[in-house]
Amino acid sequence: MAKRQQESVARLDSTYMQHYDAYMDRHQRKKKRLIRRLAMFALLVSIVAGSMVFYHVKQQSLYAQKHEQYEQLKQDMSVLEKEEQELKEEIELLNDEEYVLQIARTNYFFSKEGEIIFKMPDEDPSY
């Protein structure tokens, strides 16, 4: 029923109505511009937020990779430090003349004067 009443009302062409129509047109254009600006701002904010999230995820994966590499290098360093300690001990032993003679006797069959060396097989006999 409300529509029927609006259709039956005649529109007056007065200056007030012209100013009112111009005001409503300006108001509609302002509203459209506001909506466009808000949409562009929302798009810009979403692009910036998305790029920041992408950058953060990328940095997190890089950090995890570097942390894993650091742990691996830390393990390698501990192995190398242990090896260095063993080599230092061996250097100290090699400075001892008795140890060097013992190695020469066992590995290179170095003998004292008048001593005979017999090499025994390392395998068990087959019988």
Side-chain angles (χ1 to χ4, degrees):
M1 266 196 170
K3 285 190 175 187
R4 232 183 248 168
Q5 287 177 355
Q6 284 181 340
E7 292 174 6
S8 64
V9 176
R11 182 169 172 82
L12 297 175
D13 272 340
S14 65
T15 54
Y16 171 77
M17 286 306 290
Q18 289 172 351
H19 288 293
Y20 180 74
D21 287 340
Y23 169 76
M24 289 305 286
D25 285 342
R26 282 193 310 269
H27 184 66
Q28 288 295 328
R29 281 186 264 139
K30 276 185 180 179
K31 198 173 183 181
K32 271 187 182 179
R33 285 191 307 233
L34 177 65
I35 290 172
R36 284 181 190 155
R37 277 185 278 162
L38 287 175
M40 289 301 287
F41 182 72
L43 180 66
L44 179 68
V45 167
S46 64
I47 288 172
V48 169
S51 65
M52 288 174 69
V53 166
F54 177 73
Y55 181 75
H56 179 69
V57 168
K58 187 177 173 184
Q59 289 297 316
Q60 284 288 19
S61 68
L62 183 65
Y63 173 77
Q65 182 184 11
K66 294 294 182 181
H67 186 68
E68 184 178 317
Q69 185 180 8
Y70 171 74
E71 291 297 325
Q72 180 64 37
L73 289 173
K74 203 170 164 183
Q75 289 176 356
D76 292 347
M77 186 173 151
S78 66
V79 167
L80 289 174
E81 285 175 347
K82 185 177 179 183
E83 185 180 337
E84 178 187 19
Q85 186 63 31
E86 290 173 357
L87 289 173
K88 284 182 180 180
E89 289 174 6
E90 188 175 345
I91 287 172
E92 287 179 22
L93 288 174
L94 288 173
N95 286 333
D96 184 21
E97 191 175 322
E98 290 293 324
Y99 181 74
V100 174
L101 286 175
Q102 182 183 3
I103 290 177
R105 293 181 101 205
T106 56
N107 292 344
Y108 304 111
F109 306 113
F110 183 75
S111 63
K112 295 180 183 176
E113 245 181 77
E115 186 178 48
I116 300 174
I117 298 176
F118 295 99
K119 183 172 185 216
M120 302 296 290
D122 291 336
E123 301 175 357
D124 290 333
S126 60
Y127 53 91

